[in-house]
């Protein structure tokens, strides 16, 4: 359920007060650090996956790559495959330094009208309690 305009204003005031009081803490707890991976990063992850798959299959196919009866090349291939997938689906890490709260804020969406009379009454009650 989206926030009302009043609730959104209050949340923005709390956020700006937090940034003014302790910007280092505010930037460390801000949840916007996850980024989507670029196309280049996805291609690199896919290449790692294919290389790991080739190592996995060749480790099973060729007996020379085994240490005793343990397929060491296949294990390394699986680890590389897993790392390639993780690399492809995660975005680069960001430090978050120097970013103001207004820079990363997404545009606010308007609340859908037609919530019915019950929701409007509840919002009115909340506003009255909050204004007192």
């Amino acid at each position: 359920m989206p926030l009302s305009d009043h609730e959104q204003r209050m949340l923005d005031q709390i956020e700006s007060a937090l940034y003014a009081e302790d910007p280092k803490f505010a930037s460390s707890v801000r949840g916007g650090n996850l980024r989507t991976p670029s196309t280049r990063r996805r291609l690199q992850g896919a290449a790692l996956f294919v290389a790991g798959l080739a190592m996995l299959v060749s480790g099973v196919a060729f007996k020379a790559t085994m240490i005793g009866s343990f397929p060491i090349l296949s294990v390394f291939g699986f680890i590389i495959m897993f790392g390639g997938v993780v690399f492809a689906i995660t975005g680069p890490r960001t430090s978050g330094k120097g970013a103001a709260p207004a820079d990363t804020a997404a545009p606010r969406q308007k609340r859908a009208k037609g919530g019915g009379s019950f929701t409007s009454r509840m919002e009115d009650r909340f506003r009255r309690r909050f204004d007192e």
Side-chain angles (χ1 to χ4, degrees), residues 6 9 13 17 27 30 43 70 77 108 114 117 122:
H6 179 69
R9 281 193 304 272
Q13 288 175 355
S27 66
R30 183 180 43 185
L43 289 175
F70 188 71
R108 306 284 183 215
S117 61
M122 295 303 288

Side-chain angles (χ1 to χ4, degrees), residues 15-31:
E15 184 180 3
S16 63
L18 177 64
Y19 270 98
E21 184 177 316
D22 193 358
K24 185 176 179 183
F25 174 73
S27 66
S28 69
V29 297
R30 183 180 43 185

Side-chain angles (χ1 to χ4, degrees), residues 47-62 73-74 77 81:
L48 278 174
F49 180 82
V50 170
L53 183 64
M55 289 174 66
L56 182 100
V57 171
S58 65
V60 173
F62 302 119
L73 186 63
S74 296
M81 284 173 58

Side-chain angles (χ1 to χ4, degrees), residues 33-39 41-42 88-92:
N33 288 343
L34 297 177
R35 297 184 60 174
T36 59
S38 64
T39 304
R41 190 173 177 98
R42 288 182 182 167
I89 64 174
T90 59

